[in-house]
Amino acid sequence: MEFPLDLKYTTEHEWVRVRDEVAVVGITEYAQSELGDVVFVELPEVGARVKKGAAFGVVESVKSVSDLFAPVSGEVVNVNRALADHPEKVNEDPYGDGWMIEIRMDDPTELDDLLDASAYAARVQ
């Protein structure tokens, strides 16, 4: 299982890649494997506000429906619209084409509370 070193992770199995003041968010390889085949993804609109730890969307698989939790607070500045027609990208490339939203962070210090790759790997293995 892959745990990219350049990412931060939540205990709810979201990952964060930071570019400038924007956090790109998706779910981890572990999460997508536990869900099984993803069949639907509900994401917020661009301009929506998200709060760290609060649900921002839903991912539905053949096994279950799960909330998605924001790893940081801020404004949604981009949404991966390709997932509406191709939710399987979450399974195929969770750290690439399966990204979900981009958040312009209100407070980058919130990243300090997230797990690094080794801590997340230890938690799920």
Side-chain angles (χ1 to χ4, degrees):
M1 193 158 295
E2 187 180 355
F3 305 98
L5 297 176
D6 63 325
L7 304 181
K8 294 282 197 170
Y9 301 86
T10 70
T11 56
E12 291 82 21
H13 311 293
E14 285 84 14
W15 58 260
V16 177
R17 177 178 291 122
V18 177
R19 283 186 262 165
D20 298 322
E21 294 179 3
V22 174
V24 182
V25 178
I27 64 169
T28 66
E29 182 179 3
Y30 172 81
Q32 67 80 26
S33 70
E34 289 294 303
L35 286 166
D37 293 337
V38 174
V39 296
F40 179 75
V41 179
E42 180 182 317
L43 299 173
E45 294 295 322
V46 170
R49 303 279 313 164
V50 296
K51 184 174 180 176
K52 180 182 175 177
F56 71 82
V58 172
V59 61
E60 182 177 339
S61 71
V62 295
K63 291 182 180 177
S64 67
V65 176
S66 299
D67 285 332
L68 299 164
F69 297 97
V72 293
S73 301
E75 178 185 1
V76 176
V77 293
N78 197 6
V79 174
N80 187 353
R81 298 191 192 285
L83 297 182
D85 294 328
H86 301 285
E88 70 276 5
K89 288 182 181 286
V90 175
N91 295 113
E92 295 168 356
D93 191 11
Y95 300 118
D97 289 344
W99 69 275
M100 296 184 170
I101 62 173
E102 293 181 345
I103 302 170
R104 184 174 314 283
M105 296 180 285
D106 289 342
D107 180 4
T109 64
E110 289 180 338
L111 295 167
D112 297 342
D113 298 333
L114 301 178
L115 303 172
D116 64 16
S118 62
Y120 181 71
R123 186 174 182 92
V124 299
Q125 291 181 329

